Structures are given as structure tokens and as C-alpha cells.
Amino acid sequence: MKMKIRTIITLGAVIAAVVITSCSKYPGFKKSESGIFYKYYVESEDTTTVKEGSILTMNLKYRLRIADKDSVLFNSADMPKAFEISQAKSEFKGDIYEAFGMLHKGDSATFIINANDFFTKTAKYPQLPAGIDSTTVIYFDVKLLNVETMEQRQKAETAKAEKFKSEEPAKIQAYIAKNKVTAAPSATGVYVITQNPGSGRSIAKADFVKINLTVSSIEGKKIFSTLDQNKPITFEYGKPFDTKGFDEAIATMKKGSKATVVVPSAMGFGEQGKKDMNGQDIITPFSPVVYDIEVLDLKTKAENDKAIKDEEAAKKKAAAEAEAKEPSLIQQYIKDNKITAKPTASGLYFIEKVAGKGAKAKAGNKVKVHYTGKLLNGKVFDSSLDRKPATPFEFTIGQGQVIPGWDEGIAMMSAGGKATLLIPSKLGYGAQGAGNDIPAYSPLVFEVELLSISAK
């Protein structure tokens, strides 16, 4: 196949791509003058080139290949949107930025570069990850979707924001008409649509207000709700909370009040909107939001402080009772399930169901495990088998990445083995418990299957 020869513009310098077609040690790959091995799958006719400062939007995966096995370090397919990066100045010949500079918009390619250089020079790791040496290479699979200058990006963002701004009044009116809202807007444009006026006292400054809250887009897409996990929010009235529109609306409510509140962007998230950690819009610029608010309780500061102390005291009492009962609960479980295994010195019960083959796992090994975790009453709190698709859990033994009962128990197994681990709380989550599902001093039962063992 005849390959197009291109000018690679990267970091203000022009690098001629010299194709080596006869001696690549990676079949199907060619080699640039600076030592980058590359293979194009799609070479677009688009002439848009990558320059320093360009904003690159791409599908990106990078992986190590050790002992003929791929180990994926990053895959943008796992992210909610395509990966974006600003093209930086190349730090050394043959680095990943030079590789990106070999692309045109629409190209799809794989690049192979030295992993040692990538981790120490580009990623600035203080030391190489385990298993990587000076001969290890890293594969970058890239599909370049778009190339923009900063000016082009800002222009596009401004145009998008102006579009949202022009559409906002019609969106609010459409909501008002669809939901037959008769309430008049406040001077700031906030609509408070009351379903229940409440019968309690009005909210006063420094009150601690307990609410159920659902936040939605004006089109009805739910963004957040305390009802999903049955966890109301408590906040101190008088301090900013979420948006100015929310603050204005809550000031009109009482204990027991329930209302839907329509907040225009000027009293909401404005021209910035709101983004998640990945830079994806949660609320687009100039978008109104809808709050569904129910005021469950009001407390003065003194009442709230007392309630916190009472709750802490109740937790301590419950924890002390659980700690005292734990030994008898474990013994009853052993009796009920006819367990004959003896505890280890630490108190772990290891009940082998299927013996594995080969050497046992040891500290420093990376393992893959399927598991189901239960309380002694049989309630399942987590399982790798319930994920869609079922996804094994991976960790390194002896690194403190899991509870002590797991580090000890999995190290008693060989690949292919299955076992039940009865773990006392001191080897589990102890006096703290874990979330809402695992109370303090809870012994745990794990059904585990050790799928594989490998050197880290």
C-alpha cells in the first residue's frame, strides 16, 4: 500500500516523516525518523493539522503489552464523552505529542513509543511502575475526531451559549403552559408552585433545615434526588445553598411545605452552567432548573447540636452492643452452617469449597476475584457478579488495598479455587462499619473465587 507522505507540524518545528518499510520489528508498523512506530487504519483527506495549542478531541486507548498480553491503562470509551487534550510542546524526540502531531483530523492510528520515556518524561512518574523497564513499549490507539484552535473553541462555546440564552424564555413558558402553572413569578423570575403550604413555623435564619430535594432540567430530566437513596439533606438557612433561586424559594416555605420551584438561569447557574468532573455539562449554560422541595424538619442551632449529640450517643451504644454480641453471633453462624474449619491465629475462618491448582497467591501478586459479600443474616451488600457485565475485582495482595480478612484469605488460595471467608469485624470494617449497609462490628461472609494470579 502506498502511503501518503505528510508534513508533520508539531511544536513549531517541521519534522519529515521518514518511512522505514523493510525492517520494522513490529509487523505492519512503520517507523518515523525519531523512532515512533506507527500504523494508520484510516487516513482522511482532511487537511486540518495538529499544532501546538490545538485542542484535540479523540477516542484514545493506551495499553502495555507484556508477555504477549495487553494491559489497558486508559480507555476513553469508559468516559461519558470523547477525550480532549491540548497539544503541548514536544519534550523529546519520539514522544506522544510528536505522535499526535503526525495526525490529521479524521485519522485513525496506533503508535508505539518507549514506556520508560512516557512514564518518566511525559507523565512525570517519580519511578517506573512495577513490571516496566527500559525495553517496555506502550501502545496508543487513536482516532482523531476534531482539531480546533482555542479561538475556534471559544467561538463555538459562545455560539452554543447564545443559542441556549435565546431559547430560555420559550422553555420556561412551555413548562408553565404544559403544567398549567397559575402562580405568578417573583420580581426575579422565580416561580414557587406550592403543593402543600405546611403547618409548621416559618424558617428563620440559622435554622437547620432538613429537606428532600429533586433537581431536574426544565425538560424533565432528573439531575439529582435525595429520594434515590432515601438520604435527605440538612443545611443551615442563611448560608448560600446551590443557587440564589433556591435560597429565594426556601425563604417562603415552612415545616411541612412542599413546592416545585422553577428557577431561571439568572437566578440559577447562569452563563457558566454546571459541569461534572469530566467537563461534561450537567446543566448547560443559560438553562432554567426545576426544584422539587419538601421541608421535613426545622431545628434551631441548639436543637440541632443536641440532636447530633444524641445521634452520636445512640451510635456508640449500638456499636458497644454489637461488639459484645459479635463472638456469640459468629459461633451461632458456625453452628447453624455446620462449619468445621478452625480459625486462623487472627480469627479468620477459611472454608475451602474447591481447591485451586498451582502455587498459592502471595504478597505482591495481582489477583482477579469474583465475590459475593453478605452479612451473617444473609443480606447481600455487594457482588461482582451483579455488575453488568459481571466484572472481577482486581487488587494486589499485601498492599492494604482491601480489608485484612481478604489479604489473608485470598493468600490461602490457588488460581481456580473457591472458598467462603468468615471474617470477624476486626479483619473487616471494625468500629466504623461501611456506609449504610455494614454496621459497626459486623462480621462478614464472602463467597470468593480466585480467577487468576499474576506478578504485579
Side-chain angles (χ1 to χ4, degrees):
M1 182 179 95
K2 184 177 179 181
M3 178 177 172
K4 293 180 289 184
I5 303 298
R6 290 173 169 168
T7 300
I8 304 164
I9 302 176
T10 173
L11 324 173
V14 178
I15 303 173
V18 177
V19 179
I20 300 176
T21 59
S22 59
C23 58
S24 173
K25 60 182 177 179
Y26 301 104
F29 282 78
K30 298 175 182 178
K31 187 179 180 182
S32 74
E33 184 179 55
S34 58
I36 298 172
F37 288 92
Y38 63 92
K39 180 198 290 186
Y40 285 93
Y41 306 104
V42 175
E43 292 187 83
S44 79
E45 297 300 321
D46 196 296
T47 59
T48 307
T49 56
V50 174
K51 300 180 181 180
E52 184 180 348
S54 295
I55 300 172
L56 312 182
T57 303
M58 63 179 72
N59 294 332
L60 174 67
K61 178 170 71 176
Y62 50 90
R63 52 195 167 88
L64 294 172
R65 189 161 181 80
I66 301 174
D68 293 326
K69 291 185 178 180
D70 278 347
S71 177
V72 177
L73 304 179
F74 174 82
N75 190 349
S76 64
D78 298 330
M79 300 171 65
K81 68 172 188 175
F83 180 76
E84 291 188 347
I85 189 170
S86 177
Q87 174 72 349
K89 183 176 182 179
S90 207
E91 297 181 309
F92 58 92
K93 290 186 70 174
D95 74 352
I96 188 57
Y97 292 111
E98 182 183 327
F100 290 158
M102 295 168 64
L103 295 169
H104 287 56
K105 178 180 175 181
D107 283 353
S108 176
T110 293
F111 298 103
I112 303 174
I113 65 175
N114 184 272
N116 177 77
D117 289 339
F118 174 74
F119 283 109
T120 60
K121 297 179 182 179
T122 302
K124 302 293 192 297
Y125 276 42
Q127 61 186 33
L128 285 176
I132 297 175
D133 59 30
S134 60
T135 65
T136 309
V137 294
I138 186 167
Y139 289 69
F140 287 84
D141 303 316
V142 186
K143 169 70 174 178
L144 188 57
L145 304 174
N146 198 17
V147 181
E148 299 172 280
T149 65
M150 182 60 71
E151 183 181 8
Q152 288 171 327
R153 170 57 64 89
Q154 290 173 342
K155 185 176 180 180
E157 291 291 333
T158 299
K160 184 171 74 171
E162 288 299 321
K163 179 176 181 291
F164 289 139
K165 184 177 182 180
S166 67
E167 293 172 347
E168 183 179 11
K171 288 181 179 180
I172 293 176
Q173 289 309 308
Y175 180 93
I176 298 303
K178 179 180 177 181
N179 293 278
K180 300 178 181 178
V181 174
T182 58
S186 70
T188 60
V190 174
Y191 290 82
V192 179
I193 307 153
T194 302
Q195 285 92 39
N196 183 351
S199 56
R201 67 176 177 84
S202 298
I203 300 173
K205 188 175 181 180
D207 273 347
F208 283 79
V209 187
K210 184 178 182 181
I211 62 170
N212 267 327
L213 174 66
T214 298
V215 185
S216 306
S217 69
I218 196 78
E219 294 85 6
K221 180 182 178 182
K222 183 169 67 175
I223 298 167
F224 166 82
S225 181
T226 59
L227 299 173
D228 290 342
Q229 295 183 332
N230 193 27
K231 291 182 69 173
I233 291 173
T234 298
F235 67 96
E236 184 178 351
Y237 177 66
K239 293 184 177 179
F241 182 86
D242 208 44
T243 65
K244 291 180 180 179
F246 175 92
D247 293 339
E248 178 182 317
I250 202 75
T252 69
M253 302 178 73
K254 302 178 180 180
K255 182 176 179 179
S257 291
K258 192 172 183 179
T260 297
V261 181
V262 181
V263 176
S265 65
M267 293 293 285
F269 295 96
E271 63 181 320
Q272 300 301 320
K274 188 173 184 179
K275 298 182 182 295
D276 63 16
M277 293 177 62
N278 297 315
Q280 186 176 28
D281 283 329
I282 299 173
I283 299 168
T284 53
F286 295 107
S287 290
V289 292
V290 177
Y291 295 108
D292 286 297
I293 307 169
E294 181 179 11
V295 181
L296 303 174
D297 197 13
L298 300 178
K299 285 185 173 68
T300 63
K301 185 178 187 307
E303 290 171 338
N304 188 66
D305 289 345
K306 183 178 184 302
I308 291 173
K309 287 182 180 179
D310 290 346
E311 184 179 356
E312 290 175 349
K315 284 182 178 179
K316 287 181 180 179
K317 182 180 178 182
E321 291 174 351
E323 183 179 19
K325 289 179 181 179
E326 183 179 2
S328 62
L329 289 175
I330 290 175
Q331 291 308 311
Q332 188 63 49
Y333 184 87
I334 289 170
K335 180 180 178 181
D336 292 345
N337 291 274
K338 299 178 181 178
I339 293 171
T340 58
K342 301 299 181 184
T344 65
S346 68
L348 170 73
Y349 287 84
F350 177 83
I351 304 104
E352 189 171 61
K353 298 296 182 66
V354 176
K357 295 181 180 180
K360 295 189 184 304
K362 61 183 180 180
N365 284 161
K366 189 172 185 178
V367 295
K368 288 186 180 181
V369 180
H370 266 314
Y371 68 92
T372 297
K374 300 178 285 187
L375 302 178
L376 293 193
N377 63 11
K379 180 182 177 182
V380 174
F381 56 81
D382 192 17
S383 178
S384 63
L385 301 172
D386 290 343
R387 290 160 177 64
K388 295 182 180 180
T391 306
F393 178 69
E394 298 184 37
F395 73 100
T396 302
I397 292 179
Q399 300 291 310
Q401 297 174 0
V402 292
I403 58 176
W406 263 54
D407 265 337
E408 181 180 349
I410 301 301
M412 299 170 73
M413 302 175 69
S414 300
K418 296 182 180 181
T420 299
L421 306 180
L422 174 53
I423 301 175
S425 66
K426 66 180 180 179
L427 301 178
Y429 295 98
Q432 301 303 315
N436 295 323
D437 295 323
I438 303 176
Y441 296 106
S442 292
L444 306 173
V445 177
F446 282 95
E447 305 294 344
V448 295
E449 178 182 6
L450 180 53
L451 303 174
S452 66
I453 304 171
S454 62
K456 187 176 177 183

